[in-house]
Amino acid sequence: MNAPTNIQIINGPDGKPAYVVLPYDEFMQLYRQERGLIPNEVVGATVDGATPVRAWREHLKLTQAEMAQRLGISQPAYAKQENSESLRPATIEKIAVALGISTEQLDV
């Protein structure tokens, strides 16, 4: 089980949970996923010619080797995927999960 242990629940006057305190980075990741937001930095990188996969990877400060490890493939295989303009839907889904974003957020 991967239950988060670094959160705090604050009860309201009725004794029922009213608020949750969690690390900011975790909040932003959940917020981006929920809202489907795409940071300006990612949009700008794609305008400048980067693929959405590369723009997101660089925005999240991940290396190609780290992404390859998350996907269970070699770094050269990942580099080929990252530079591809047309990926299979299953590949897009795997990359989105590895980045912690939705597939819609890769559609820049």
Side-chain angles (χ1 to χ4, degrees):
M1 182 165 85
N2 290 333
T5 57
N6 55 350
I7 63 170
Q8 179 182 5
I9 298 174
I10 302 172
N11 293 332
D14 60 359
K16 295 181 181 177
Y19 303 96
V20 176
V21 179
L22 67 155
Y24 183 76
D25 289 341
E26 289 180 33
F27 166 75
M28 288 306 296
Q29 183 176 3
L30 291 170
Y31 185 78
R32 279 194 299 264
Q33 285 177 334
E34 179 68 27
R35 302 267 188 222
L37 299 177
I38 301 171
N40 187 51
E41 182 179 305
V42 172
V43 174
T46 59
V47 168
D48 290 341
T51 63
V53 173
R54 179 179 177 182
W56 271 104
R57 177 185 60 79
E58 290 177 348
H59 172 70
L60 296 171
K61 298 181 181 9
L62 297 169
T63 65
Q64 285 187 345
E66 290 169 326
M67 280 298 296
Q69 184 178 19
R70 289 181 180 198
L71 293 166
I73 60 177
S74 68
Q75 183 274 327
Y78 172 75
K80 186 175 180 178
Q81 289 179 352
E82 180 177 271
N83 291 318
S84 175
E85 292 293 333
S86 59
L87 295 170
R88 294 188 346 227
T91 302
I92 292 170
E93 176 67 30
K94 289 176 185 177
I95 290 172
V97 168
L99 290 168
I101 62 173
S102 69
T103 54
E104 291 81 16
Q105 289 172 294
L106 281 173
D107 189 21
V108 179

